[in-house]
Amino acid sequence: MANYILAIDAGTTSNRAVIFDRSGRIVSAAQKEIKQSFPQPGWVEQDANELWSTQLGVVVEALNRHNLEGSDLAAIGITNQRETTILWSKETGEPVYPAIVWQCRRTAEACQELHDRGYAELIQAKTGLLPDAYFSASKIKWLLEQVEGLRARAEAGEILFGTVDSWLIWKLTKGRVHVTDYSNAARTMLFNIHDLSWDQDLLDLFEIPAAILPEVKASSCIYGYTDPAFLAAEVPIAGAAGDQQAALFGQQCWAAGEVKNTYGTGSFLLMNTGEKAINSKHGLVSTIAWGLNDQIDYALEGSIFVSGGVVQWLRDELRLIDFAHEVEALAAEVPDSNGCYFVPAFTGLGAPYWDPYARGAIVGLSRGVRREHIVRAALESMAFQTEAVLSLMQEEAGVKLKSLRVDGGAAQNNLLLQFQADLSNLPVERPECIESTALGAAFLAGLAVAFWASRAELKSLVHQTEVFQPNLAEATREKILADWAEAVKRSLNWAQE
């Protein structure tokens, strides 16, 4: 019998494959880092073929580690880095250009021009998003303009566009299925989240031919089947969701007002807002959480561009650490950051600042600041950025949160989570399985093929949760939050000509 669900977790810095059993527990997993390239300041690219080959490799590795075959899988769920833009030949399957990663800021000026021309309100009304280089639309437009002959090929129906989910599904089915789900379509800045269709006004604005776009379907349904050449079986691909929406689902934030934060390369806070899309006035975005059982759930989101990615910077560029896991112990050697604040605006700042011209800053340096203080300040920057979004989110949704659920790689860091609880004055809840993104993809796929009967059954799979309680004097909390706000001010508009 097919007693397992495979979750494909196509992240920004690594590809993972995670296999779950019927109890929702991980039985096998494999992971491999993927390369990013930075051809110009603020530009971020990846090799789309490497994304595919690495993902297939970790799938096979995860199966082999538990002596499983493709026929043991009831379904596959896919979750992915969102907004990353890939265009490829419909005939050959070859990408026409490197994947432009969601972090890339090459189209910042073009998006600012949309603001200046008065299109921000229209775009937000239709998509819930703000005009920003973060989303896919301006990346597609850039490719059509900059790659020789590409626009003509696209208009002739020879080119396909996809976010990473679409690309992987297309590859797994050997080009038989060109599809995306509601949650990923909602991140392109081309999809009307209210009438659930590609928006012709926006396609015209960005000069994008509709022929390149994938079909949009529910987040939990059978899209197609894997070609037997890959897993020696036709396994249903039955779930797809952008990584942050998948984490929201995996954390079982199914009621309006429930919030999770994922500490990944970036940090992403999502609040389930139920059937209502909230139109933010202060830098958050409204998006589709998922489409399930003929119903759309919406979410309010704050996107932080660099969170756990700061640890990679400490390791790879500054060489203050040799391994990521050293951060917690090193930061714990000092009681605080000694007045040092680290704003990791390497590619600008996302919510709630939305400044593509901000750049990283370390402020408050004194002669007594040591390596440990800088490492601690870097760690604390994740919590400061989270709190800025969390505070605004409660204000705009008109709710007072009871807790914050967390996941992602950095959620293993106890010092970070305690500091987050102190800073946000909220209990921070960490589930036993912090692989909420993969779990959410597995849940969506499993529901589609009746591997699990209902969300009620999924509730019974929740395992132990650890809670970090706030324990910081209010005066201290207010002081460090004010200092952080001042540090952010010093980083804004740095790269603007």
Side-chain angles (χ1 to χ4, degrees):
M1 281 185 65
N3 287 317
Y4 303 94
I5 297 285
L6 167 66
I8 286 176
D9 185 353
T12 306
T13 55
S14 71
N15 277 335
R16 307 183 68 248
V18 186
I19 300 174
F20 295 89
D21 63 16
R22 289 186 183 273
S23 71
R25 293 188 182 276
I26 295 173
V27 298
S28 184
Q31 178 173 358
K32 186 171 182 180
E33 285 199 9
I34 47 181
K35 297 173 185 173
Q36 289 187 318
S37 60
F38 310 93
Q40 295 185 34
W43 289 32
V44 190
E45 297 178 352
Q46 290 177 321
D47 180 342
N49 281 326
E50 184 194 357
L51 299 183
W52 157 241
S53 62
T54 303
Q55 191 64 72
L56 182 61
V58 293
V59 166
V60 172
E61 184 180 346
L63 288 168
N64 290 341
R65 284 184 175 182
H66 203 63
N67 295 318
L68 298 176
E69 298 179 354
S71 58
D72 292 311
L73 300 175
I76 295 172
I78 294 177
T79 183
N80 55 286
Q81 54 165 310
R82 306 170 304 169
E83 301 93 20
T84 293
T85 298
I86 304 170
L87 268 63
W88 66 92
S89 164
K90 187 175 183 179
E91 181 181 356
T92 68
E94 279 300 305
V96 300
Y97 190 88
I100 302 180
V101 179
W102 58 272
Q103 297 161 310
C104 187
R105 310 305 297 168
R106 75 185 64 190
T107 59
E109 289 186 9
C111 291
Q112 183 60 50
E113 185 183 338
L114 290 173
H115 272 284
D116 297 343
R117 292 166 59 196
Y119 283 108
E121 188 174 337
L122 172 74
I123 290 170
Q124 186 175 27
K126 289 175 176 286
T127 69
L129 310 177
L130 303 168
D132 193 85
Y134 176 28
F135 307 110
S136 308
S138 63
K139 303 180 197 300
I140 300 171
K141 179 177 171 63
W142 186 92
L143 286 167
L144 292 175
E145 291 175 346
Q146 298 300 320
V147 178
E148 186 176 354
L150 186 57
R151 179 172 294 282
R153 293 175 65 195
E155 291 173 349
E158 299 172 7
I159 298 297
L160 300 178
F161 154 74
T163 42
V164 175
D165 59 310
S166 295
W167 171 242
L168 293 178
I169 293 171
W170 196 85
K171 295 294 281 188
L172 284 166
T173 61
K174 278 203 172 179
R176 287 188 286 272
V177 179
H178 184 216
V179 70
T180 190
D181 90 298
Y182 288 124
S183 72
N184 277 295
R187 310 302 297 184
T188 61
M189 212 158 67
L190 297 170
F191 191 74
N192 190 311
I193 64 172
H194 307 290
D195 65 20
L196 306 180
S197 65
W198 298 114
D199 193 281
Q200 191 59 51
D201 291 341
L202 297 178
L203 293 176
D204 292 342
L205 178 63
F206 288 98
E207 302 176 278
I208 294 172
I212 71 172
L213 301 171
E215 182 181 1
V216 185
K217 291 191 173 184
S219 309
S220 178
C221 69
I222 296 176
Y223 307 113
Y225 296 82
T226 60
D227 189 276
F230 301 123
L231 303 177
E234 293 187 338
V235 183
I237 304 167
D243 50 10
Q244 305 314 317
Q245 291 98 323
L248 190 71
F249 198 84
Q251 285 274 28
Q252 302 197 359
C253 294
W254 299 333
E258 294 181 330
V259 180
K260 72 85 198 174
N261 186 36
T262 297
Y263 300 92
T265 303
S267 273
F268 300 87
L269 281 93
L270 270 74
M271 173 189 286
N272 187 324
T273 61
E275 297 179 9
K276 180 182 178 184
I278 294 176
N279 199 18
S280 172
K281 299 291 189 288
H282 301 290
L284 302 181
V285 300
S286 199
T287 195
I288 293 176
W290 49 74
L292 183 65
N293 298 332
D294 298 321
Q295 179 180 322
I296 297 295
D297 276 43
Y298 292 93
L300 195 61
E301 174 174 335
S303 306
I304 297 164
F305 293 158
V306 177
S307 185
V310 76
V311 176
Q312 291 178 312
W313 185 72
L314 293 175
R315 181 192 66 190
D316 299 338
E317 275 74 35
L318 287 197
R319 300 184 182 179
L320 292 183
I321 57 173
D322 293 321
F323 302 99
H325 64 77
E326 296 172 2
V327 166
E328 182 172 7
L330 201 59
E333 290 183 17
V334 290
D336 54 42
S337 64
N338 198 12
C340 175
Y341 292 85
F342 189 165
V343 184
F346 301 138
T347 56
L349 286 172
Y353 315 104
W354 291 109
D355 183 353
Y357 304 107
R359 288 297 178 265
I362 303 176
V363 302
L365 293 175
S366 63
R367 186 65 178 82
V369 171
R370 307 196 310 269
R371 168 191 178 211
E372 294 86 351
H373 295 118
I374 291 176
V375 169
R376 181 160 185 137
L379 187 67
E380 291 180 350
S381 73
M382 301 185 211
F384 278 117
Q385 293 180 99
T386 298
E387 168 53 23
V389 174
L390 204 57
S391 178
L392 179 59
M393 192 170 276
Q394 292 179 88
E395 178 186 330
E396 293 220 312
V399 300
K400 174 68 175 134
L401 296 179
K402 296 178 181 177
S403 65
L404 172 65
R405 299 177 190 177
V406 299
D407 54 64
Q412 298 175 78
N413 191 308
N414 292 338
L415 191 153
L416 170 63
L417 297 193
Q418 184 58 57
F419 188 70
Q420 187 73 74
D422 291 342
L423 207 58
S424 302
N425 203 25
L426 282 173
V428 172
E429 301 177 357
R430 178 175 63 194
E432 180 184 55
C433 176
I434 63 169
E435 301 294 346
S436 301
T437 303
L439 186 61
F443 281 169
L444 289 166
L447 289 171
V449 298
F451 186 82
W452 293 296
S454 64
R455 281 193 260 189
E457 182 181 352
L458 296 181
K459 281 282 187 187
S460 70
L461 305 182
V462 175
H463 306 303
Q464 182 178 0
T465 297
E466 190 171 359
V467 181
F468 295 80
Q469 296 289 351
N471 183 29
L472 188 67
E474 184 61 23
T476 304
R477 177 176 174 270
E478 290 179 1
K479 171 69 166 61
I480 61 177
L481 282 171
D483 288 347
W484 165 259
E486 188 60 35
V488 170
K489 286 181 185 177
R490 309 296 176 95
S491 76
L492 298 176
N493 298 313
W494 184 265
Q496 193 157 18
E497 294 180 2

